[in-house]
Amino acid sequence: MTAWLLRRIGQAALVVLAMTIIVFVGLHAIGNPVDILIGDDMNQQERLAAIARLGLDQPLWQQYIAFAKGALSGNLGKSFVYQEDAVRLILQRLPATLELAVSALLLAVLLGVPMGLFAGMKPDHALSKALMATSIVGFSLPAFWVALMLIMLFSVQLGWLPASGRGETRMFLGIAWSWLTLDGLQHLVLPAFNLALFKISLVLRLTRAGVREVLPQDFVKFARAKGLSPLRVMLAHVLRNTLIPLVTVLGLELGSTIAYAVVTETIFAWPGAGKLILDSINSLDRPVVVAYLMVVVVLFVCINLVVDLLYRLLDPRARLEGAK
């Protein structure tokens, strides 16, 4: 187990290193922040001094080496626009994004898994067919359109839920949480559901497919032959084996939810990292964009590592393969 874990950590480090090169080089090939950040009223000498102050007068390879040295100590540069540490700016907004992403994933699991179990256990039921048809709609509808319709229905027409903002928060462990106040939860419902809609459909269909695959297995037939209740068979035998591929997909989906929450955060004015990264892209604030992408990469790598650990805990065959 220790050798496997060290090998996975080494692979993760190589992935992060490769992504630093791809992100840094790719971002520096798009646009010139000098054209946006430095005014036209500057003379040539002032312009050159500003370029040198931003560190943009160095060759790209020297800029990357300076970036890599700073990254080893946790310094990913200073924002061109805000004149603050880029990582600090991201971390100030990241808890709101993480809260939104985790809420969306919880909704996907709490709604998608039971519906998928029902659809898998009773595939010919009218409700099962309706759920499968509805899941196709969840895949197809664009997130921005669904967000606007949710605002129009629940905020404008019915007036049940707020349309924007994060609402009242409460500090816990030095972090502001919307989960801890009623007003915060009301503000969280619409953006979380909008972000979760695609995931709910995905979890539903994956769970149904897993149930249909597991039900004909001999160990399920044996459990039924022993006289176990249908609920016990479903929870102890069917659900556990269905969760093995589902955990892998959900881990990847958590990372993608964090990365692609930008649209939802923008429409609902959710004060997360998505709004910050959009503003930084528009102003070509390279340090902030690089810091955001690197934070997302590290989150992806850590989530994948946790998923691999959970997979080995759920599936004994994975432990046996890793021991070879």
Side-chain angles (χ1 to χ4, degrees):
M1 183 69 175
T2 303
W4 173 86
L5 185 59
L6 291 175
R7 186 169 62 252
R8 288 291 289 110
I9 292 174
Q11 293 171 354
L14 289 176
V15 170
V16 172
L17 177 62
M19 288 305 300
T20 60
I21 299 174
I22 295 172
V23 167
F24 194 84
V25 174
L27 186 61
H28 282 66
I30 303 174
N32 186 0
V34 173
D35 299 332
I36 297 177
L37 300 174
I38 298 179
D40 296 332
D41 56 341
M42 289 185 175
N43 58 41
Q44 186 63 20
Q45 185 177 0
E46 292 173 336
R47 185 180 178 88
L48 292 175
I51 292 174
R53 185 172 63 253
L54 295 174
L56 300 176
D57 58 332
Q58 302 294 324
L60 184 57
W61 66 271
Q62 290 186 1
Q63 293 183 45
Y64 175 75
I65 290 176
F67 164 77
K69 289 180 179 178
L72 291 175
S73 60
N75 179 17
L76 296 180
K78 181 179 289 187
S79 169
F80 294 158
V81 176
Y82 300 98
Q83 292 300 308
E84 294 184 33
D85 182 73
V87 175
R88 185 180 300 114
L89 281 173
I90 297 298
L91 294 181
Q92 287 172 355
R93 305 285 191 94
L94 193 60
T97 298
L98 290 175
E99 185 176 48
L100 179 60
V102 172
S103 299
L105 199 67
L106 286 176
L107 277 177
V109 173
L110 293 177
L111 296 178
V113 170
M115 290 189 296
L117 285 174
F118 179 82
M121 298 289 287
K122 298 183 178 181
D124 297 326
H125 196 282
L127 180 58
S128 298
K129 295 179 180 179
L131 288 173
M132 296 305 295
T134 305
S135 68
I136 298 176
V137 177
F139 279 123
S140 306
L141 294 177
F144 71 89
W145 184 84
V146 174
L148 294 176
M149 292 302 101
L150 290 174
I151 292 173
M152 181 66 68
L153 177 61
F154 293 101
S155 298
V156 178
Q157 298 294 333
L158 299 176
W160 290 352
L161 296 168
S164 63
R166 196 180 179 191
E168 183 183 355
T169 60
R170 184 168 298 170
M171 298 299 293
F172 180 68
L173 299 177
I175 300 174
W177 297 91
S178 300
W179 288 340
L180 300 180
T181 66
L182 179 60
D183 184 59
L185 287 173
Q186 289 174 340
H187 280 79
L188 184 61
V189 170
L190 289 184
F193 180 78
N194 180 68
L195 195 59
L197 185 59
F198 177 88
K199 315 298 180 187
I200 293 172
S201 302
L202 178 64
V203 171
L204 191 160
R205 297 183 76 88
L206 285 175
T207 304
R208 180 190 180 278
V211 170
R212 299 305 301 162
E213 182 179 353
V214 171
L215 279 178
Q217 300 295 323
D218 291 338
F219 64 88
V220 176
K221 296 178 181 178
F222 182 72
R224 287 173 170 171
K226 288 197 303 182
L228 297 179
S229 65
L231 181 62
R232 176 74 181 276
V233 172
M234 183 181 67
L235 295 179
H237 298 278
V238 176
L239 180 60
R240 179 174 180 179
N241 287 274
T242 303
L243 285 178
I244 294 174
L246 193 60
V247 164
T248 303
V249 174
L250 287 177
L252 297 175
E253 288 300 316
L254 175 59
S256 66
T257 303
I258 296 170
Y260 301 124
V262 177
V263 173
T264 298
E265 289 185 1
T266 302
I267 294 176
F268 289 96
W270 187 264
K275 181 66 166 60
L276 174 65
I277 197 62
L278 278 182
D279 293 341
S280 300
I281 291 173
N282 290 331
S283 60
L284 286 180
D285 194 350
R286 286 177 178 172
V288 176
V289 178
V290 171
Y292 175 79
L293 293 175
M294 292 315 304
V295 168
V296 170
V297 167
V298 171
L299 283 174
F300 259 104
V301 170
C302 292
I303 289 170
N304 284 335
L305 185 59
V306 172
V307 166
D308 285 345
L309 289 171
L310 290 175
Y311 195 92
R312 292 168 68 85
L313 291 175
L314 288 171
D315 191 352
R317 294 170 296 180
R319 294 195 294 269
L320 292 175
E321 291 177 1
K324 293 180 180 178

